Amino acid sequence: MTDPLAGVPAEVTIVEVGPRDGLQNEAAILPVEARVALVRDLAGAGLRCIEAGAFVRADLVPAMAGTDAVLAGLGGLEGVRLPVLVPNPRGLQAAIEAGAREVALFAAASETFSQRNGGAGIDTTLARLREVAGTATAAGLGLRGYVSCVAGCPFEGEVALEAVVRVTRALVESGCAEVSLGDTIGAGTPRRIAQVVGACAEAVGIGRLAIHAHDTMGQALANVLTALEMGVATVDASVAGLGGCPFAPGAAGNLATEDLVYMLDGMGVRHGVDLDRLIRAGEGALAGLGHAGHSRAATGRRRARPAG
Ligand code: MG
């Protein structure tokens, strides 16, 4: 019998988004020292790409205030990519001044989401993004792109595949080495993800794609596995599932990194992360946030641990 999982890469890069995508959607705010400790703990667990923060307006996203101090606190952390999110030229300038080496840019595949979340339509956003990307590239920074709403929009419902492809292509043409396809509301199921990944791979090549799945409807791992089977070798995840779902209070949001690591371990896919150290890193953050995590694997391991 041929291996039905033959397409899954032997090695996968996990992009840990908890310290940014996770924390910015939490009700409680972690102080800079705790954010530095979290990133260091995650690096200690073996993660080699950790989204460390965002240069956004502190009045709009207070959880990301002090990202410059977080980067300063991470000085000396070698061999780890620390992308930071920037929405505009001002954010980019602040990131450069803080010593960032890589920035993440974002655009939505849904017009309404783009207007409501970013304050501008898709075309305006892409034009702005080209400008930011050009400056970042000239400054020698690495570039990562995000497309949100690839499998549905909280305002519009269905999102056209062509819109996802158009935004993905624009991000690559702007200079993004990698584009992360985000199922922002976790609405996608494997068929849709296969269509999105297939269409985007045709446009920019499978090697440039990452998958960013949300577990709102319990589909995250199934969707990630679908992308892996198609050859996607970069997966975003958030330790302890930090962040929840901003569009469905109380629901799960980001795929928990622990759950991803458990699956990859079981499949023999290399990724370099130690599950138990990762769980401890997540527990540290959860202690500061004051709530339980969303990782099934972490909960399962905890039950299996001897008491005391
Ligand atoms: Mg997310």
Side-chain angles (χ1 to χ4, degrees):
M1 195 185 94
T2 54
D3 180 4
L5 299 176
V8 174
E11 185 166 1
V12 160
T13 298
I14 300 175
V15 176
E16 170 59 51
V17 300
R20 198 284 299 174
D21 188 24
L23 291 184
Q24 80 167 37
N25 292 307
E26 290 285 340
I29 293 178
L30 287 191
V32 165
E33 306 74 53
R35 288 157 63 195
V36 170
L38 174 59
V39 174
R40 287 193 178 276
D41 288 349
L42 292 165
L47 286 151
R48 289 295 168 264
C49 184
I50 304 168
E51 202 178 35
F55 287 91
V56 290
R57 276 173 51 184
D59 56 328
L60 297 180
V61 192
M64 290 295 105
T67 291
D68 51 347
V70 171
L71 287 183
L74 291 171
L77 193 61
E78 292 297 325
V80 182
R81 287 165 57 197
L82 298 170
V84 290
L85 193 80
V86 299
N88 51 38
R90 194 163 51 158
L92 174 64
Q93 213 46 52
I96 292 172
E97 282 163 22
R101 309 278 291 277
E102 179 173 349
V103 292
L105 312 173
F106 60 94
S110 148
E111 185 65 25
T112 310
F113 189 90
S114 187
Q115 299 272 4
R116 300 233 195 148
N117 190 56
I122 296 174
D123 286 335
T124 308
T125 303
L126 292 179
R128 247 186 229 162
L129 210 140
R130 269 191 291 277
E131 183 195 334
V132 174
T135 311
T137 303
L141 302 191
L143 281 178
R144 176 165 217 262
Y146 281 110
V147 184
S148 45
C149 301
V150 304
C153 166
F155 311 112
E156 292 183 15
E158 283 192 25
V159 170
L161 217 47
E162 298 72 44
V164 180
V165 171
R166 184 166 82 91
V167 174
T168 300
R169 187 180 276 131
L171 284 165
V172 168
E173 286 171 355
S174 295
C176 291
E178 173 180 302
V179 176
S180 178
L181 302 169
D183 180 7
T184 310
I185 54 171
T189 55
R191 180 69 66 200
R192 168 71 184 194
I193 298 304
Q195 289 166 346
V196 168
V197 170
C200 291
E202 208 168 288
V204 303
I206 195 83
R208 287 195 185 270
L209 300 178
I211 186 81
H212 184 112
H214 280 197
D215 211 26
T216 320
M217 305 304 284
Q219 306 299 300
L221 272 182
N223 289 340
V224 165
L225 181 56
T226 300
L228 291 173
E229 285 171 335
M230 297 178 75
V232 169
T234 303
V235 182
D236 297 0
S238 174
V239 67
L242 293 182
C245 178
F247 305 101
N254 288 310
L255 167 64
T257 315
E258 297 91 325
D259 297 5
L260 172 65
V261 164
Y262 181 84
M263 182 177 83
L264 296 176
D265 278 345
M267 294 170 70
V269 176
R270 293 192 303 276
H271 51 76
V273 181
D274 180 275
L275 180 56
D276 288 311
R277 290 189 70 172
L278 176 65
I279 290 172
R280 286 199 292 277
E283 287 169 349
L286 291 168
L289 294 169
H291 67 75
H294 287 289
S295 166
R296 312 278 181 84
T299 304
R301 277 287 171 115
R302 215 170 289 132
R303 289 218 181 97
R305 264 186 224 165

